[in-house]
Amino acid sequence: MKKYYLALFLSIFIFACSEDDDIDIITQKVNLNVEIKHYFNDKMIEFDTETYLNEFGNELSVSKLRYLISDITLTKKDGSIKEFENQYVYIDPSRNRDTFTLYGVDVGDYTNITYNIGVDSTTNHSDPTLFDADHPLSLIVHNLHWGWIDGYIFFSLEGNLHYMGNKQLFTYHLGFDRNLKTISIDQNYSISENNILSLQFDLAKLFKSPNLIDQSNEAFITHSVNDNGYSDRLVQNLEGAFTLKGIIQNEN
Amino acid sequence: MKIRIIFLVLMVLSYCIIVSCSEETKSQEYNPTPYELVLPASLPKPKLPEDNPLTVEGIKLGNKLFFDDLLSGDNTMSCSGCHNQKHAFTDNELALSLGIHKEEGKRNSMPIFNMFYHNNGFFWDGRAASLREQSLMPIQDPLEMDETLENVVKKLKATKEYPQLFFNAFGTTEINPLRISLALEQYMFTLVSGNSKYDRYQAGTDQFTESEKRGFDLFFAERDPIPFIKGGDCFHCHSGPNFTNNEYMNNGLDEFFVDLGLGAVTKKASDNGKFKVPSLRNVQVSGPYMHDGRFKTLEEVLDHYNSGVVDSPTLDANMHGALLGLKLNEQEKTDIINFLKTLTDEEYLTNLEYKKNTD
């Protein structure tokens, strides 16, 4: 009888050991939720109803803010990188479309997150009707597209400028291959189970730096051609508009 | 006496056999045939609701319901009364449809095709979140079919054929509003339009005339202020393979809103005067146009966008160019209309499968 107890005891010991080994040898993978919160300075953007003052002093309201994300890359502390090559994301906070999931992310310490606003040249000039109707690049999902030759609108901001009781509609449609913008954020963060990686987009920064923008003195409509470089200035400002707020614990 | 007893025994036996047989056949009978929605290459693969798989039996039931006058308060009007296939399932050139009391409804009857692409609500004001919810609303609208769902269920139950048709579709003879809406949803999902001249042109199997080609270019061209470049600016809203961005927008019809549209549903002033951007497929045959059917012809529609747009607090930013005037000449307007006519899909407008099932 004693023998059996011993065997039982040993087997428990062995099991316990092997579980420990799993953690050491195979890195645990999780599905990482990512959220992007959209602010104007310290206030969450209220679409259509709220007005904001930009750095130059223009008063504006926002009706639409939409963009495409691709080529998301996470860099680990050991220098290895995880790329999400075929993942495309369409963001539209006015319709609460501001989260996505990265599947199979290693648990551990990271030093950087990088992604593109827009899509690479090949994708940009491919046939958008080939995507399923619920694919982020399908034109059933959004209208960020100028046709096959010009490709996708990478980033779209629409709204009104307000001055002395008047309003002036504006539409900034940023795109074309030259305007593919890489956002690279160097910051340490650790990923474990049930985490949300929380990014923040601050619209005020789009008008602030490095190019201080006076909206009333720029094209009210730009589709990234013949606009005296306005779209390029906005794209330059895009990088600083994104920050990594950190990792938060998912309460669900 | 003996004969009587034998007769009685036989009766009981045969009754038992019949009951057991019919029960057996019933449990075997519910075997719906999956229906595969076949789409032309020009249309992307849709995502259909997983809780309502298309079946031949479900679609057949939906078809019967769609064309059945029993769904109205006085049994005189079916869905098809205001949704006629040859007008892309809109009303017969009426600005506002007449309900069973011969009173005008609030808004223009909307076309029915490619409904699986509508990912942002239904109706001009978006008050129905799903197609199944949509399907029950005209039945109950006092200005339309003016009937209670309770009565519809009662009337369908009293018929000879419906309990069996519901069984074939859903595995139960129990009729309820949800199953009515699921069947109508299934039937409407089968109405596909993707074989217009435009689709064939895109596939390289048909040719555009010079005018259609110019219209195509104008439709997809941005109107630029400096230097001035002509464009219709149509594609921002009438975008993608279904020629709609599925959004609710104010396209500059009125300075003051008689009908609040989306705003009446969301109770937000910033949504006032916004209406669903309709698909332009089959637009040639789905007039009159706008939510209130105010424009009889496509020429009137083009005139509106060319020089008739008025400002209001919720005017969409993409109407900026139109607000200043598109400055299209007569030929250019004609070209755009000729292009719009290439979106007419004769196959869809005449498809026998969509018609009232008579067997």
Side-chain angles (χ1 to χ4, degrees):
Chain A
M1 198 62 184
K2 258 187 186 169
K3 262 188 197 167
Y4 290 115
Y5 280 122
L6 188 66
L8 193 67
F9 176 75
L10 277 176
S11 70
I12 288 169
F13 187 71
I14 288 164
F15 268 110
C17 273
S18 67
E19 271 184 13
D20 270 355
D21 286 350
D22 274 351
I23 288 174
D24 285 345
I25 295 164
I26 305 161
T27 310
Q28 195 192 345
K29 288 191 189 297
V30 293
N31 297 332
L32 178 67
N33 292 314
V34 182
E35 65 170 26
I36 308 181
K37 295 289 176 205
H38 297 82
Y39 285 80
F40 199 102
N41 287 324
D42 54 351
K43 285 190 183 133
M44 287 268 269
I45 293 177
E46 298 277 347
F47 289 90
D48 287 315
T49 51
E50 207 52 56
T51 59
Y52 305 98
L53 270 187
N54 69 17
E55 184 76 6
F56 187 89
N58 308 128
E59 191 180 350
L60 67 143
S61 58
V62 187
S63 51
K64 288 171 202 133
L65 167 61
R66 290 151 181 200
Y67 51 96
L68 297 169
I69 295 176
S70 65
D71 288 319
I72 302 156
T73 305
L74 305 181
T75 307
K76 282 169 94 169
K77 207 174 177 182
D78 64 12
S80 64
I81 56 171
K82 169 81 174 170
E83 282 181 68
F84 299 85
E85 269 175 37
N86 294 314
Q87 186 158 5
Y88 299 90
V89 181
Y90 167 60
I91 296 288
D92 176 3
S94 72
R95 279 169 69 177
N96 296 322
R97 193 175 169 129
D98 54 6
T99 60
F100 56 96
T101 305
L102 299 173
Y103 294 94
V105 178
D106 287 353
V107 161
D109 295 332
Y110 289 78
T111 57
N112 175 283
I113 177 169
T114 296
Y115 49 91
N116 287 338
I117 302 298
V119 295
D120 67 82
S121 173
T122 311
T123 310
N124 200 22
H125 305 290
S126 62
D127 179 359
T129 62
L130 298 178
F131 297 113
D132 285 357
D134 58 343
H135 189 281
L137 296 182
S138 168
L139 303 187
I140 295 291
V141 174
H142 56 71
N143 62 343
L144 299 182
H145 201 253
W146 283 307
W148 295 11
I149 297 165
D150 295 340
Y152 283 91
I153 296 167
F154 298 160
F155 183 97
S156 162
L157 179 72
E158 300 176 5
N160 282 290
L161 284 175
H162 302 265
Y163 50 93
M164 296 185 292
N166 291 319
K167 71 182 174 78
Q168 168 66 51
L169 296 166
F170 68 82
T171 59
Y172 306 151
H173 292 173
L174 313 180
F176 292 100
D177 293 340
R178 70 168 202 280
N179 276 329
L180 180 65
K181 182 66 182 173
T182 300
I183 311 291
S184 179
I185 304 171
D186 284 321
Q187 192 173 318
N188 293 332
Y189 58 98
S190 299
I191 295 169
S192 57
E193 263 183 284
N194 286 323
N195 278 171
I196 298 170
L197 185 135
S198 182
L199 292 162
Q200 189 170 314
F201 174 84
D202 181 358
L203 185 58
K205 289 182 183 157
L206 186 72
F207 300 114
K208 194 171 174 181
S209 61
N211 307 301
L212 180 65
I213 283 165
D214 171 9
Q215 286 182 273
S216 65
N217 202 30
E218 299 279 4
F220 296 128
I221 311 174
T222 174
H223 41 97
S224 306
V225 288
N226 296 325
D227 62 358
N228 292 321
Y230 183 38
S231 52
D232 299 69
R233 283 193 291 283
L234 288 172
V235 168
Q236 276 176 13
N237 285 3
L238 260 182
E239 178 153 18
F242 287 95
T243 49
L244 174 56
K245 262 177 85 183
I247 300 287
I248 52 180
Q249 193 66 28
N250 191 351
E251 278 155 19
N252 293 332
Chain B
M1 185 66 186
K2 233 183 187 178
I3 291 170
R4 265 197 183 175
I5 291 173
I6 290 172
F7 184 67
L8 205 69
V9 167
L10 274 177
M11 280 270 285
V12 170
L13 266 178
S14 61
Y15 176 73
C16 288
I17 290 167
I18 288 166
V19 168
S20 66
C21 269
S22 68
E23 272 186 0
E24 235 172 56
T25 42
K26 257 194 180 170
S27 60
Q28 282 171 354
E29 260 176 282
Y30 181 59
N31 188 16
T33 320
Y35 177 91
E36 202 199 334
L37 195 62
V38 183
L39 298 183
S42 54
L43 297 180
K45 193 174 154 225
K47 194 172 185 192
L48 294 169
E50 279 164 21
D51 61 352
N52 193 20
L54 300 186
T55 63
V56 172
E57 293 78 2
I59 294 159
K60 193 177 167 185
L61 172 60
N63 174 304
K64 190 170 171 61
L65 290 165
F66 189 86
F67 290 96
D68 201 327
D69 292 343
L70 282 183
L71 269 58
S72 64
D74 61 358
N75 305 326
T76 62
M77 181 177 276
S78 71
C79 308
S80 71
C82 303
H83 296 282
N84 182 347
Q85 183 180 1
K86 76 171 186 187
H87 294 290
F89 287 91
T90 63
D91 209 344
N92 304 285
E93 296 172 5
L94 282 174
L96 301 172
S97 303
L98 298 175
I100 62 168
H101 307 302
K102 307 287 176 236
E103 290 172 75
E104 280 187 342
K106 251 178 101 181
R107 303 202 182 103
N108 184 248
S109 163
M110 299 192 87
I112 311 174
F113 55 80
N114 303 350
M115 300 308 274
F116 34 71
Y117 292 145
H118 291 257
N119 54 23
N120 190 27
F122 295 82
F123 289 117
W124 284 106
D125 58 8
R127 67 187 183 276
S130 65
L131 189 53
R132 65 189 65 163
E133 283 172 59
Q134 181 281 328
S135 73
L136 297 178
M137 292 185 180
I139 298 172
Q140 302 169 83
D141 192 317
L143 294 175
E144 299 185 52
M145 296 157 82
D146 194 20
E147 181 57 298
T148 64
L149 295 177
E150 201 186 342
N151 277 342
V152 172
V153 169
K154 217 181 279 174
K155 284 190 272 182
L156 296 180
K157 272 183 180 166
T159 62
K160 210 165 61 200
E161 67 275 24
Y162 271 111
Q164 183 61 44
L165 290 174
F166 274 84
F167 178 82
N168 296 346
F170 300 113
T172 169
T173 55
E174 198 54 47
I175 298 173
N176 65 24
L178 176 64
R179 292 190 191 106
I180 292 170
S181 72
L182 292 177
L184 285 167
E185 180 176 82
Q186 285 196 37
Y187 167 66
M188 287 192 276
F189 276 145
T190 66
L191 309 176
V192 174
S193 180
N195 188 21
S196 63
K197 186 177 185 181
Y198 163 81
D199 296 300
R200 294 192 298 273
Y201 171 76
Q202 291 288 23
T205 58
D206 208 336
Q207 294 287 317
F208 270 0
T209 65
E210 285 305 312
S211 173
E212 287 164 354
K213 231 180 270 176
R214 288 194 302 268
F216 173 93
D217 288 340
L218 282 167
F219 184 95
F220 288 100
E222 302 252 15
R223 176 203 178 280
D224 261 336
I226 312 160
F228 185 75
I229 297 168
K230 277 190 184 178
D233 262 341
C234 315
F235 74 104
H236 284 298
C237 312
H238 298 288
S239 59
N242 207 32
F243 289 85
T244 170
N245 58 5
N246 287 322
E247 289 183 33
Y248 301 82
M249 291 176 148
N250 174 349
N251 62 343
L253 291 171
D254 299 303
E255 199 181 341
F256 303 102
F257 311 126
V258 182
D259 183 345
L260 296 182
L262 179 66
V265 175
T266 63
K267 310 287 179 212
K268 281 162 69 178
S270 57
D271 286 335
N272 286 350
K274 291 184 181 177
F275 294 92
K276 180 84 174 260
V277 174
S279 167
L280 294 186
R281 287 184 176 274
N282 304 295
V283 71
Q284 182 185 5
V285 298
S286 63
Y289 306 103
M290 307 298 140
H291 63 276
D292 52 6
R294 69 176 67 188
F295 300 135
K296 278 203 170 62
T297 63
L298 287 173
E299 283 75 10
E300 289 177 42
V301 175
L302 263 288
D303 283 338
H304 165 69
Y305 288 117
N306 198 37
S307 55
V309 170
V310 293
D311 203 1
S312 59
T314 60
L315 182 70
D316 194 86
N318 288 288
M319 296 302 296
H320 179 276
L323 182 62
L324 299 171
L326 296 176
K327 300 190 169 73
L328 302 172
N329 62 34
E330 289 308 310
Q331 182 59 52
E332 287 163 332
K333 284 191 278 181
T334 305
D335 290 341
I336 291 180
I337 291 171
N338 284 340
F339 165 67
L340 291 177
K341 288 177 178 170
T342 71
L343 298 173
T344 305
D345 177 357
E346 284 301 328
E347 185 187 317
Y348 152 77
L349 293 171
T350 57
N351 193 327
L352 295 175
E353 270 186 50
Y354 304 162
K355 295 195 186 305
K356 184 177 180 176
N357 198 330
T358 47
D359 60 56

